[in-house]
Coordinates of all heavy atoms in Angstrom, one line a residue:
F1 N 0.8 -1.2 0.1 CA 0.0 0.0 0.0 C 0.9 1.3 0.0 O 0.6 2.3 0.7 CB -1.0 0.0 1.2 CG -1.9 -1.1 1.2 CD1 -2.5 -1.5 2.5 CD2 -2.2 -1.9 0.1 CE1 -3.3 -2.7 2.4 CE2 -3.1 -3.0 0.2 CZ -3.6 -3.4 1.4
G2 N 1.9 1.2 -0.8 CA 2.8 2.5 -1.0 C 3.9 2.6 0.1 O 4.6 3.5 0.0
L3 N 3.9 1.7 1.1 CA 4.9 1.9 2.1 C 6.4 1.9 1.6 O 7.2 2.7 2.1 CB 4.8 0.7 3.3 CG 5.8 1.0 4.4 CD1 5.5 2.3 5.1 CD2 5.5 -0.2 5.4
S4 N 6.7 1.0 0.5 CA 8.0 1.1 0.1 C 8.3 2.3 -0.8 O 9.6 2.6 -1.0 CB 8.3 -0.1 -0.9 OG 7.5 -0.1 -2.0
W5 N 7.4 3.1 -1.1 CA 7.6 4.4 -1.8 C 7.6 5.6 -0.7 O 8.5 6.5 -0.9 CB 6.4 4.7 -2.7 CG 6.6 5.8 -3.7 CD1 7.2 5.9 -4.9 CD2 6.1 7.2 -3.5 NE1 7.1 7.1 -5.5 CE2 6.6 7.9 -4.6 CE3 5.5 7.8 -2.3 CZ2 6.2 9.4 -4.7 CZ3 5.3 9.1 -2.4 CH2 5.7 9.9 -3.6
L6 N 6.7 5.3 0.4 CA 6.5 6.6 1.2 C 7.7 6.6 2.3 O 8.2 7.7 2.5 CB 5.3 6.4 2.0 CG 4.0 6.5 1.1 CD1 2.8 5.9 1.8 CD2 3.7 8.0 1.0
L7 N 8.0 5.4 2.9 CA 8.9 5.5 4.1 C 10.3 5.9 3.7 O 10.9 6.8 4.5 CB 9.0 4.1 4.7 CG 9.6 4.1 6.0 CD1 8.9 5.1 7.0 CD2 9.7 2.7 6.5
P8 N 11.0 5.6 2.4 CA 12.2 6.1 2.2 C 12.3 7.6 2.0 O 13.2 8.3 2.3 CB 12.5 5.4 0.9 CG 11.7 4.1 0.9 CD 10.5 4.5 1.5
R9 N 11.1 8.1 1.6 CA 11.0 9.6 1.4 C 10.8 10.4 2.7 O 11.1 11.6 2.8 CB 9.9 10.0 0.4 CG 10.2 9.6 -1.0 CD 9.0 9.5 -1.9 NE 9.3 9.4 -3.3 CZ 9.7 8.4 -3.9 NH1 9.7 7.2 -3.2 NH2 10.0 8.4 -5.3
I10 N 10.4 9.6 3.8 CA 10.2 10.3 5.1 C 11.5 10.2 5.8 O 12.0 11.1 6.5 CB 9.1 9.7 5.7 CG1 7.7 9.8 5.0 CG2 8.9 10.3 7.1 CD1 6.5 9.1 5.5
I11 N 12.0 9.0 5.9 CA 13.1 8.7 6.9 C 14.5 8.5 6.2 O 15.4 8.3 6.9 CB 12.8 7.6 7.8 CG1 12.8 6.2 7.2 CG2 11.6 7.8 8.5 CD1 12.7 5.0 8.1
G12 N 14.5 8.4 4.9 CA 15.7 8.3 4.0 C 15.9 6.9 3.6 O 15.3 5.9 4.3
H13 N 16.5 6.7 2.6 CA 16.6 5.3 1.9 C 17.3 4.2 2.8 O 16.9 3.1 3.0 CB 17.3 5.4 0.5 CG 17.4 4.1 -0.2 ND1 18.5 3.3 0.0 CD2 16.6 3.6 -1.2 CE1 18.2 2.2 -0.8 NE2 17.2 2.4 -1.5
G14 N 18.4 4.7 3.4 CA 19.1 3.8 4.2 C 18.5 3.3 5.4 O 18.5 2.1 5.7
R15 N 17.8 4.2 6.1 CA 17.1 3.8 7.3 C 15.9 2.9 7.0 O 15.7 2.0 7.6 CB 16.6 5.0 8.1 CG 17.6 5.8 8.8 CD 16.8 6.8 9.9 NE 17.8 7.6 10.5 CZ 18.0 8.8 10.2 NH1 17.5 9.5 9.2 NH2 18.9 9.7 11.1
A16 N 15.3 3.3 5.9 CA 14.1 2.4 5.5 C 14.5 1.1 5.1 O 14.0 0.0 5.4 CB 13.3 3.2 4.3
S17 N 15.6 1.0 4.3 CA 16.1 -0.2 3.7 C 16.6 -1.2 5.0 O 16.2 -2.4 5.0 CB 17.4 0.0 2.9 OG 16.9 0.6 1.8
H18 N 17.2 -0.6 6.0 CA 17.6 -1.4 7.1 C 16.4 -1.9 7.9 O 16.4 -3.0 8.3 CB 18.4 -0.6 8.1 CG 18.8 -1.3 9.4 ND1 18.2 -1.2 10.6 CD2 19.9 -2.2 9.5 CE1 18.8 -2.0 11.4 NE2 19.8 -2.5 10.8
L19 N 15.4 -1.1 8.0 CA 14.1 -1.5 8.8 C 13.4 -2.6 8.0 O 13.0 -3.6 8.6 CB 13.2 -0.3 8.9 CG 11.8 -0.6 9.7 CD1 12.2 -0.9 11.1 CD2 10.9 0.6 9.5
F20 N 13.3 -2.3 6.7 CA 12.7 -3.4 5.8 C 13.4 -4.8 5.7 O 12.8 -5.7 6.0 CB 12.4 -2.8 4.4 CG 11.4 -1.8 4.2 CD1 11.6 -0.9 3.4 CD2 10.2 -1.8 4.9 CE1 10.7 0.2 3.2 CE2 9.2 -0.9 4.8 CZ 9.5 0.2 3.9
Y21 N 14.6 -4.7 5.5 CA 15.5 -5.9 5.4 C 15.7 -6.7 6.7 O 15.8 -7.9 6.8 CB 16.8 -5.6 4.7 CG 16.7 -5.3 3.2 CD1 17.4 -4.2 2.8 CD2 15.9 -6.0 2.5 CE1 17.4 -3.8 1.5 CE2 15.7 -5.6 1.1 CZ 16.5 -4.6 0.6 OH 16.5 -4.1 -0.7
S22 N 15.4 -6.0 7.9 CA 15.6 -6.6 9.1 C 14.2 -7.0 9.7 O 14.2 -7.6 10.8 CB 16.3 -5.7 10.2 OG 15.5 -4.5 10.5
A23 N 13.2 -6.7 8.9 CA 11.8 -6.9 9.3 C 11.6 -6.3 10.7 O 11.1 -6.9 11.6 CB 11.4 -8.3 9.3
G24 N 12.1 -5.1 10.9 CA 12.3 -4.5 12.1 C 11.1 -3.7 12.6 O 10.1 -3.7 12.0
T25 N 11.3 -3.0 13.8 CA 10.3 -2.2 14.4 C 10.8 -0.9 14.9 O 12.0 -0.8 15.3 CB 9.7 -2.9 15.7 OG1 9.1 -4.2 15.2 CG2 8.6 -2.0 16.4
L26 N 10.1 0.2 14.7 CA 10.5 1.5 15.3 C 9.7 1.7 16.6 O 8.3 1.7 16.3 CB 10.3 2.6 14.3 CG 11.2 2.7 13.0 CD1 10.7 3.8 12.1 CD2 12.7 2.9 13.4
D27 N 10.2 2.1 17.6 CA 9.4 2.5 18.8 C 9.1 4.0 18.6 O 9.5 4.7 17.8 CB 10.0 2.2 20.1 CG 11.3 2.9 20.4 OD1 11.6 4.0 19.8 OD2 12.1 2.4 21.2
A28 N 8.4 4.6 19.7 CA 7.9 6.0 19.5 C 9.1 6.8 19.4 O 9.0 7.9 18.7 CB 7.0 6.2 20.7
E29 N 10.1 6.6 20.3 CA 11.2 7.7 20.4 C 12.1 7.5 19.0 O 12.6 8.7 18.6 CB 12.1 7.3 21.6 CG 11.3 7.7 22.9 CD 11.2 9.2 23.2 OE1 11.7 10.0 22.3 OE2 10.4 9.5 24.1
Q30 N 12.3 6.4 18.6 CA 12.9 6.2 17.3 C 12.2 6.8 16.2 O 12.7 7.4 15.3 CB 13.1 4.7 17.0 CG 14.1 3.9 17.9 CD 14.1 2.5 17.8 OE1 13.1 1.8 17.6 NE2 15.3 1.9 18.0
A31 N 10.8 6.7 16.2 CA 10.1 7.4 15.1 C 10.3 8.8 15.1 O 10.3 9.4 14.0 CB 8.6 7.0 15.3
V32 N 10.3 9.5 16.2 CA 10.6 11.0 16.4 C 12.0 11.2 15.9 O 12.1 12.1 15.1 CB 10.3 11.4 17.8 CG1 10.8 13.0 17.8 CG2 8.9 11.3 18.0
A33 N 12.9 10.4 16.3 CA 14.3 10.7 16.0 C 14.6 10.6 14.5 O 15.5 11.3 13.9 CB 15.3 9.7 16.7
C34 N 13.9 9.7 13.8 CA 14.2 9.6 12.3 C 13.3 10.4 11.5 O 13.4 10.3 10.2 CB 14.1 8.1 11.9 SG 12.4 7.4 11.9
G35 N 12.4 11.1 12.1 CA 11.5 12.1 11.4 C 10.2 11.5 10.9 O 9.4 12.2 10.3
L36 N 9.9 10.2 11.4 CA 8.5 9.8 11.0 C 7.5 10.4 11.7 O 6.3 10.6 11.3 CB 8.6 8.2 11.2 CG 7.4 7.5 11.0 CD1 6.9 7.6 9.6 CD2 7.4 6.0 11.5
A37 N 7.6 10.7 13.1 CA 6.6 11.2 14.0 C 7.0 12.6 14.4 O 8.2 12.9 14.5 CB 6.4 10.4 15.2
A38 N 6.1 13.5 14.6 CA 6.4 14.8 15.0 C 6.6 14.9 16.5 O 7.5 15.7 17.0 CB 5.1 15.7 14.8
E39 N 6.0 14.1 17.4 CA 6.2 14.1 18.9 C 5.6 13.0 19.5 O 4.6 12.3 19.1 CB 5.5 15.4 19.3 CG 5.6 15.9 20.6 CD 4.8 17.1 21.0 OE1 4.3 17.8 20.2 OE2 4.7 17.6 22.2
V40 N 6.1 12.6 20.7 CA 5.6 11.6 21.5 C 4.7 12.3 22.6 O 5.2 13.2 23.3 CB 6.7 10.7 22.2 CG1 6.1 9.7 23.1 CG2 7.6 10.1 21.3
V41 N 3.4 11.9 22.7 CA 2.5 12.5 23.7 C 1.7 11.4 24.2 O 1.5 10.4 23.7 CB 1.6 13.5 22.9 CG1 2.4 14.7 22.3 CG2 0.8 12.8 21.6
E42 N 1.2 11.8 25.5 CA 0.4 10.8 26.2 C -0.9 10.5 25.5 O -1.4 9.4 25.5 CB 0.1 11.2 27.6 CG 1.3 11.2 28.4 CD 2.0 9.8 28.7 OE1 1.2 8.8 28.7 OE2 3.1 9.5 28.7
D43 N -1.5 11.5 24.9 CA -2.8 11.4 24.3 C -2.6 11.8 22.8 O -2.9 13.1 22.4 CB -3.8 12.3 24.9 CG -5.3 12.1 24.4 OD1 -5.4 11.5 23.3 OD2 -6.2 12.3 25.1

């Protein structure tokens, strides 16, 4: 559903490739650090 097109443009090709090839996970703080999320908030 477009994830292989969208994610490299948001967090960069290298980060996205590592995440995809490792079948990995980003937690909330990592998502902010790599530019995927704007902010970690309780609500």
Side-chain angles (χ1 to χ4, degrees):
F1 303 156
L3 186 59
S4 65
W5 190 93
L6 292 160
L7 193 63
R9 287 164 169 79
I10 298 171
I11 70 173
H13 183 274
R15 285 194 183 101
S17 295
H18 180 262
L19 182 71
F20 286 144
Y21 290 136
S22 63
T25 298
L26 292 175
D27 65 25
E29 295 292 346
Q30 290 170 326
V32 172
C34 72
L36 177 63
E39 189 177 353
V40 180
V41 291
E42 289 298 325
D43 188 341

